[in-house]
């Protein structure tokens, strides 16, 4: 039997199936129906697959996976003005309440009632057809591929974090973590004008990949710092910037040792942004230097107003290259295999095609 809306569904921990779901119908005239063509696998997807949760979000019922997607508009609501059938779009996957204080203040990503794809209890985008409001679809220029469009989602996290950190020309930026998000943070920081970008990780292959991509001017393998004092690691890290401290630190691992090291690496009046999800309570946090240096510390949660548009612009202009991040590609029917590959740590970024 031909499936009308095949969908990749997480039934429970370690159990993913492909099953038919109802074809969604446009009920709100401002919505469009999108045929999903490319979807990236995010670390949060793997958390749900392996642990059944990601942070405070817990899977309690079968859920369609995926939220890093791009596709083609196949139907538009009667009130849609900015899109037409055939348009290629990057899909911003979180819809806030239009009546929330967070939405009205321009911080819709912080809306506690956000309906975010593949975040319980909401289904994700790994299916044939998906609905979105027209203003949460960003049209892709003709020369930007749908695969690049799928990577707009994680790139928008990089944009949002660098905006929060006010990265600008002349900054010395240190990024902890050379996974997809860390690499994209570094790429955006460089595009925003940071003249020196240091990426810190414990996996040498990832660091060499970052160097090859050209997103890092400096790399540092911190695996040898285990057991050393923060003062010793600070001296080692400082050597990468010619004995100068960083003006901006963006942490993309959630590891408490990385967090502490990043704060030590900052110069007075330095700016720090936390992107990686870690433990709720940290046993190791150098609060003393936060006051002594008058550091600015901010959290980062997804992305907000204008971040998706900026991400598309960075790709379209060639200021950020995302194609090289894709190391594995899978057909839709290979989705289960794709999750196993990402779970094993073999992929930087894996992309799943939409159903044929």
């Amino acid at each position: 039997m031909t499936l009308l809306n095949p969908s990749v569904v997480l039934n429970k921990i370690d159990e993913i199936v492909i099953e038919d779901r109802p074809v969604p119908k446009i009920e709100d005239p401002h919505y469009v129906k999108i045929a999903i063509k490319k979807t990236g696998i995010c670390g949060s997807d793997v958390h749900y697959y392996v642990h059944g949760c990601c942070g405070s979000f817990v899977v309690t019922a079968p859920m369609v996976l995926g939220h890093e997607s791009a596709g083609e508009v196949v139907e538009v609501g009667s009130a849609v003005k900015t899109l037409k059938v055939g348009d290629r779009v990057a899909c911003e996957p979180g819809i806030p309440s239009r009546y929330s204080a967070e939405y009205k203040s321009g911080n819709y990503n912080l809306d506690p009632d956000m309906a975010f794809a593949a975040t319980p209890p909401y289904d994700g985008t790994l299916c044939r057809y998906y609905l979105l409001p027209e203003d949460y679809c960003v049209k892709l220029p003709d020369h930007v591929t749908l695969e690049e469009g799928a990577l707009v989602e994680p790139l928008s996290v990089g944009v949002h974090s660098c905006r929060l950190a006010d990265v600008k020309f002349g900054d010395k930026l240190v990024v902890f973590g050379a996974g997809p998000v860390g690499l994209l943070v570094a790429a955006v920081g460089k595009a925003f004008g940071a003249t020196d970008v240091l990426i810190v990780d414990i996996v040498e292959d990832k660091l060499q990949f970052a160097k090859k991509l050209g997103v890092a001017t400096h790399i540092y393998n911190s695996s040898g710092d285990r057991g050393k004092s923060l003062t010793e690691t600070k001296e080692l890290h400082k050597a990468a910037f010619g004995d100068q401290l960083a003006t901006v630190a963006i942490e993309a691992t959630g590891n408490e040792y990385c967090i502490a090291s990043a704060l030590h690496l900052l110069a007075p009046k330095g700016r720090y942004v936390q992107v990686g999800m870690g433990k709720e309570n940290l046993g190791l946090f150098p609060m003393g230097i936060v006051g002594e240096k008058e550091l600015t510390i901010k959290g980062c949660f997804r992305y907000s107003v204008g971040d998706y548009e900026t991400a598309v612009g960075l790709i379209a202009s060639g200021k950020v290259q995302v194609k090289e991040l894709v190391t594995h590609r899978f057909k839709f029917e290979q989705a289960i295999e794709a999750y196993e590959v990402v779970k094993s740590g073999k992929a930087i970024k894996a992309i799943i095609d939409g159903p044929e």
Side-chain angles (χ1 to χ4, degrees):
M1 184 179 66
T2 301
L3 301 181
L4 297 178
N5 191 26
S7 305
V8 177
V9 178
L10 175 66
N11 277 335
K12 59 183 180 180
I13 292 175
D14 288 333
E15 185 180 311
I16 294 176
V17 298
I18 297 177
E19 66 180 36
D20 206 8
R21 288 291 184 98
V23 176
K25 296 181 180 180
I26 295 177
E27 298 178 352
D28 186 318
H30 295 281
Y31 272 61
V32 300
K33 183 185 293 184
I34 303 159
I36 300 297
K37 300 298 184 182
K38 301 287 182 179
T39 300
I41 296 180
C42 175
S44 65
D45 294 334
V46 178
H47 271 282
Y48 289 126
Y49 179 36
V50 176
H51 305 292
C53 64
C54 185
S56 61
F57 300 101
V58 180
V59 177
T60 58
M63 178 183 75
V64 178
L65 291 166
H67 62 265
E68 300 180 0
S69 291
E72 297 178 4
V73 176
V74 295
E75 185 182 348
V76 300
S78 59
V80 171
K81 299 178 181 178
T82 62
L83 296 172
K84 64 183 185 303
V85 172
D87 281 343
R88 300 156 58 257
V89 297
C91 306
E92 184 172 349
I95 312 303
S97 165
R98 305 288 185 160
Y99 306 102
S100 68
E102 291 80 10
Y103 178 80
K104 292 176 182 177
S105 67
N107 300 298
Y108 64 79
N109 58 314
L110 303 181
D111 177 12
D113 296 318
M114 168 80 75
F116 197 88
T119 299
Y122 303 103
D123 285 326
T125 58
L126 257 175
C127 52
R128 175 170 282 142
Y129 298 116
Y130 192 77
L131 298 182
L132 275 177
E134 65 172 315
D135 56 331
Y136 281 77
C137 300
V138 179
K139 195 181 300 186
L140 297 174
D142 291 341
H143 66 285
V144 175
T145 68
L146 285 165
E147 186 170 275
E148 290 173 308
L151 291 169
V152 169
E153 198 278 343
L155 180 58
S156 294
V157 176
V159 170
H160 192 57
S161 62
C162 286
R163 280 181 164 169
L164 287 168
D166 190 27
V167 177
K168 54 187 180 295
F169 180 76
D171 272 324
K172 293 185 180 298
L173 168 65
V174 57
V175 178
F176 276 77
V181 171
L183 293 171
L184 290 170
V185 167
V188 175
K190 198 172 182 182
F192 278 13
T195 48
D196 294 284
V197 180
L198 166 65
I199 296 183
V200 181
D201 203 289
I202 60 173
V203 180
E204 187 62 27
D205 286 349
K206 289 184 177 181
L207 291 170
Q208 293 302 324
F209 186 76
K211 196 75 171 178
K212 179 181 176 182
L213 282 177
V215 299
T217 59
H218 303 74
I219 56 174
Y220 181 75
N221 190 324
S222 61
S223 60
D225 291 347
R226 292 173 179 172
K228 295 182 179 179
S229 70
L230 288 171
T231 301
E232 289 176 310
T233 63
K234 181 181 69 173
E235 293 302 319
L236 289 171
H237 293 161
K238 280 172 63 177
F241 279 153
D243 206 38
Q244 295 183 41
L245 292 169
T247 55
V248 181
I250 300 180
E251 207 291 318
T253 72
N255 180 284
E256 63 180 327
Y257 293 96
C258 294
I259 293 169
S261 293
L263 291 169
H264 272 278
L265 279 172
L266 281 170
K269 289 291 184 181
R271 292 103 68 196
Y272 176 93
V273 173
Q274 183 63 42
V275 176
M277 292 183 64
K279 295 190 297 185
E280 185 173 346
N281 297 300
L282 300 180
L284 183 67
F285 190 86
M287 182 59 75
I289 67 167
V290 174
E292 291 173 9
K293 294 183 178 182
E294 291 193 354
L295 301 180
T296 298
I297 299 178
K298 294 181 180 180
C300 175
F301 190 59
R302 296 172 180 154
Y303 29 77
S304 195
V305 179
D307 293 330
Y308 244 71
E309 290 80 0
T310 299
V312 170
L314 288 171
I315 294 172
S317 66
K319 292 182 177 179
V320 171
Q321 300 287 337
V322 295
K323 294 178 183 178
E324 289 80 2
L325 266 68
V326 181
T327 56
H328 293 72
R329 295 173 175 85
F330 299 89
K331 298 295 184 183
F332 188 81
E333 56 270 21
Q334 298 174 306
I336 298 170
E337 177 187 349
Y339 274 90
E340 283 295 322
V341 168
V342 175
K343 173 184 171 182
S344 71
K346 296 177 182 177
I348 297 292
K349 177 59 70 174
I351 295 287
I352 300 174
D353 289 342
E356 295 181 356

